[in-house]
Amino acid sequence: MVRADKPTSYKLKPKSESTSTLPTWADDIELVGLEFDLEPLTSNSLYSQYTIALHAWFLDQVRQLDPDLSAYLHDGESEKPFNISALESQLLPIGKQLQLEANQILHWQVNALSAKVANFLKQWLTQLPQTLKIRDATLQIKQVRIAHPPTTYAQLLQPPAKYSHINLSFISPTSFRRKGHHFPLPVPENLFHSYLRRWNDFSQIPISQADFLDWIDESVIIHQHRLESVKVAAGKRGSVTGFTGAISCGLSKAALANTEFTQLFYALVKLAPYCGTGHKTTFGLGQTRLDWVEQRSNTSAQLLTNILAERIEELTALFTAQRKRQGGDRTDKIAATWATILARREMGESLKVIADDLEMPVATVKTYTKLAKRSLKPESAK
């Protein structure tokens, strides 16, 4: 079984003290994962789609130190060379919000998939702010640990001492895009297509995608799984049908004859915790572990996000059908935007928070809210 190294923790010192105890690594490192311990300064509420604000906060930190890298991370059309997790802790719902308790310790991960981002993280740690802001909530950064050890793509290619079955656990909701829809199953071809895309974008050791994925389809055997489907509001618009849980898989005996692809198979397995699985990993989806992690039952906080996701999906279907009848252009995008805005307004979120998350003027969000509400009224009432 492939396992990540045990995390090494580094407590933050006041800025006046030495920062020599902070984690660091060589300039040629391409992959590294950091985990932050965060503590709310006061009890506060948190809206259910707070990962959008986490994403924005991190990109703003990049912008302050490296504007060119920030622009690439924000606007680049290729795979993103980083991902973040949601906050890992028991967040209890209070009404339609999540509750942050003072003195509660929360865990948050940031992973780098390229030398540029890894070097940014190294520089950032030397001038890390003392707090992280999510809208009105201020969280103190108490400690940083290396969650996934610094390495390179070439080092990932080093074969394991023994070819064995591997476990993959999907800690946060995970999904793929297939034929224009969400595909919420860890089919080996989808899993390794997801990892290979990142590999080919960032490793500079390109692999023929079609040949390798054909080999994966023929060679990978799932021995055990424990999965649960889940619906979440993820990213800036719309909802995602995904899965959480774990699988155990391995290679057929015949597959081992192809040593190149066998070596790549185990390299991509080791890549999984760094890059995550599936899409929207920069908003907390697809967090992956190389172990069998027992799945927790749906928490009340997860049920709250499920309610939002289901409402977004319901409204999207309704608005899409209406616009198709009216011959509207850009049907899917507009319908998803209206649905996201109205569902979040129904959850009690302010126009400004929604506008900031969607990077739209408040006036536009207000107009879309009115149009969406009007579309819900019976024809006789319009």
Side-chain angles (χ1 to χ4, degrees):
M1 181 187 302
V2 184
R3 292 179 184 271
D5 290 352
K6 184 178 180 181
T8 303
S9 299
Y10 302 83
K11 291 185 178 179
L12 295 189
K13 294 185 176 183
K15 289 184 180 289
S16 59
E17 297 186 31
S18 170
T19 58
S20 61
T21 58
L22 287 169
T24 189
W25 46 85
D27 290 343
D28 64 347
I29 288 300
E30 299 169 303
L31 299 146
V32 66
L34 298 177
E35 183 171 82
F36 297 79
D37 286 352
L38 309 174
E39 181 181 342
L41 295 181
T42 60
S43 296
N44 211 323
S45 60
L46 198 62
Y47 67 112
S48 61
Q49 282 195 277
Y50 67 85
T51 54
I52 300 174
L54 276 175
H55 176 275
W57 182 86
F58 176 70
L59 287 184
D60 188 60
Q61 292 292 300
V62 180
R63 180 192 60 79
Q64 294 180 41
L65 287 180
D66 191 337
D68 290 339
L69 177 59
S70 173
Y72 170 70
L73 296 181
H74 192 275
D75 301 324
E77 293 298 324
S78 65
E79 297 291 334
K80 306 296 184 185
F82 81 101
N83 62 74
I84 66 172
S85 73
L87 298 175
E88 294 184 21
S89 187
Q90 283 290 92
L91 296 175
L92 299 176
I94 301 295
K96 296 180 178 179
Q97 302 281 304
L98 302 172
Q99 182 67 21
L100 286 176
E101 296 289 350
N103 304 317
Q104 176 186 18
I105 297 298
L106 307 153
H107 307 292
W108 180 55
Q109 282 197 18
V110 178
N111 300 309
L113 309 181
S114 72
K116 285 185 178 180
V117 179
N119 282 323
F120 161 76
L121 292 181
K122 182 171 68 169
Q123 178 189 4
W124 183 46
L125 289 179
T126 66
Q127 43 195 304
L128 193 67
Q130 295 183 347
T131 58
L132 182 157
K133 294 267 297 181
I134 308 177
R135 299 292 176 233
D136 297 330
T138 301
L139 289 75
Q140 184 178 5
I141 301 175
K142 301 285 289 184
Q143 186 168 271
V144 183
R145 68 176 59 85
I146 291 180
H148 308 308
T151 191
T152 66
Y153 287 93
Q155 288 170 344
L156 292 185
L157 273 172
Q158 295 175 3
K162 180 182 178 182
Y163 292 139
S164 60
H165 296 168
I166 58 98
N167 293 332
L168 289 169
S169 289
F170 310 100
I171 305 301
S172 63
T174 303
S175 184
F176 308 98
R177 295 293 293 175
R178 183 171 180 266
K179 298 181 179 180
H181 300 283
H182 299 128
F183 187 72
L185 286 172
V187 173
E189 187 174 358
N190 293 90
L191 287 175
F192 285 88
H193 182 210
S194 170
Y195 306 144
L196 187 60
R197 289 201 319 269
R198 276 82 169 195
W199 180 278
N200 280 343
D201 261 30
F202 306 122
S203 73
Q204 309 200 11
I205 312 172
I207 301 293
S208 169
Q209 179 172 290
D211 292 344
F212 177 71
L213 293 179
D214 285 344
W215 178 84
I216 285 289
D217 190 41
E218 293 287 337
S219 306
V220 177
I221 302 167
I222 295 179
H223 299 287
Q224 186 180 3
H225 68 81
R226 183 172 297 168
L227 302 168
E228 181 178 343
S229 62
V230 60
K231 194 178 294 294
V232 292
K236 296 184 178 181
R237 294 174 178 83
S239 62
V240 169
T241 302
F243 60 90
T244 56
I247 64 169
S248 176
C249 63
L251 296 175
S252 66
K253 289 183 179 180
L256 300 178
N258 189 327
T259 55
E260 179 187 1
F261 283 174
T262 298
Q263 187 178 16
L264 180 61
F265 169 83
Y266 283 99
L268 293 181
V269 166
K270 289 183 282 187
L271 175 63
Y274 295 92
C275 70
T277 303
H279 67 147
K280 295 188 182 291
T281 55
T282 59
F283 292 96
L285 268 61
Q287 290 288 299
T288 306
R289 301 286 184 271
L290 299 186
D291 207 344
W292 186 278
V293 179
E294 287 299 326
Q295 189 173 346
R296 293 176 297 183
S297 59
N298 260 343
T299 64
S300 48
Q302 182 64 62
L303 292 174
L304 185 63
T305 52
N306 286 353
I307 291 171
L308 175 60
E310 288 170 358
R311 181 57 172 160
I312 290 174
E313 183 176 62
E314 176 188 7
L315 290 172
T316 299
L318 190 153
F319 295 146
T320 298
Q322 288 180 342
R323 293 184 64 80
K324 283 182 177 178
R325 287 198 300 269
Q326 297 162 6
D329 295 328
R330 296 180 299 148
T331 295
D332 293 339
K333 184 176 180 180
I334 291 294
T337 301
W338 283 16
T340 300
I341 290 171
L342 184 56
R344 290 182 62 175
R345 286 292 289 152
E346 291 174 348
M347 293 289 285
E349 294 179 30
S350 71
L351 289 171
K352 186 177 186 312
V353 165
I354 298 171
D356 288 346
D357 282 351
L358 300 184
E359 298 179 329
M360 297 169 62
V362 173
T364 302
V365 172
K366 187 175 182 179
T367 298
Y368 282 1
T369 303
K370 290 180 179 178
L371 291 172
K373 287 181 176 178
R374 189 180 305 161
S375 292
L376 292 181
K377 292 180 181 178
E379 289 296 326
S380 59
K382 293 182 181 179

